[in-house]
């Protein structure tokens, strides 16, 4: 069994094995865009074992402050689906 270390790896594995089978085309597109634009180069690089509530909440608060509430909600949906 191979254990994944970072959120990005888990997301792409999820999409490959399950996400594309259970999600509609438009949802997949918005997941991919959200991942690439807001998650991949930030919290996506974190090792999953170090992602705790505080890191997630700080990340969502920062997105809401610097981007928008909708962006923070979309990122939360993608991360929730991944985990």
């Amino acid at each position: 069994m191979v254990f994944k270390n970072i959120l990005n790896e888990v997301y792409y594995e999820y999409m490959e094995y399950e996400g594309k089978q259970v999600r509609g085309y438009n949802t997949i597109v918005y997941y991919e865009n959200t991942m690439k634009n807001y998650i991949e180069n930030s919290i996506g690089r974190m090792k999953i074992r170090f992602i705790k509530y505080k890191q997630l909440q700080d990340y969502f608060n920062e997105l809401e402050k610097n981007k928008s509430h909708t962006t923070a909600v979309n990122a939360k949906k993608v991360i929730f689906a991944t985990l």
Side-chain angles (χ1 to χ4, degrees):
M1 177 181 285
V2 176
F3 291 101
K4 301 299 177 183
N5 292 320
I6 63 173
L7 183 61
N8 287 339
E9 292 174 328
V10 174
Y11 168 78
Y12 287 111
E13 185 175 278
Y14 161 74
M15 289 305 286
E16 180 180 341
Y17 293 108
E18 183 179 342
K20 290 182 179 177
Q21 286 74 37
V22 299
R23 306 285 178 196
Y25 175 79
N26 289 334
T27 301
I28 292 169
V29 169
Y30 117 68
Y31 275 26
E32 292 290 326
N33 288 334
T34 300
M35 189 67 189
K36 289 185 188 311
N37 293 321
Y38 305 108
I39 299 171
E40 201 169 79
N41 292 319
S42 58
I43 200 167
R45 293 182 175 186
M46 284 186 72
K47 290 187 177 190
I48 290 184
R49 67 184 177 145
F50 296 125
I51 299 175
K52 305 292 185 215
Y53 175 82
K54 182 174 180 356
Q55 285 79 20
L56 285 172
Q57 193 59 57
D58 290 347
Y59 170 72
F60 297 134
N61 289 345
E62 192 68 23
L63 273 180
E64 190 164 357
K65 177 182 169 188
N66 294 325
K67 300 296 179 187
S68 70
H69 175 74
T70 303
T71 300
V73 169
N74 288 342
K76 183 177 180 180
K77 288 178 185 177
V78 173
I79 292 170
F80 180 78
T82 302
L83 299 176

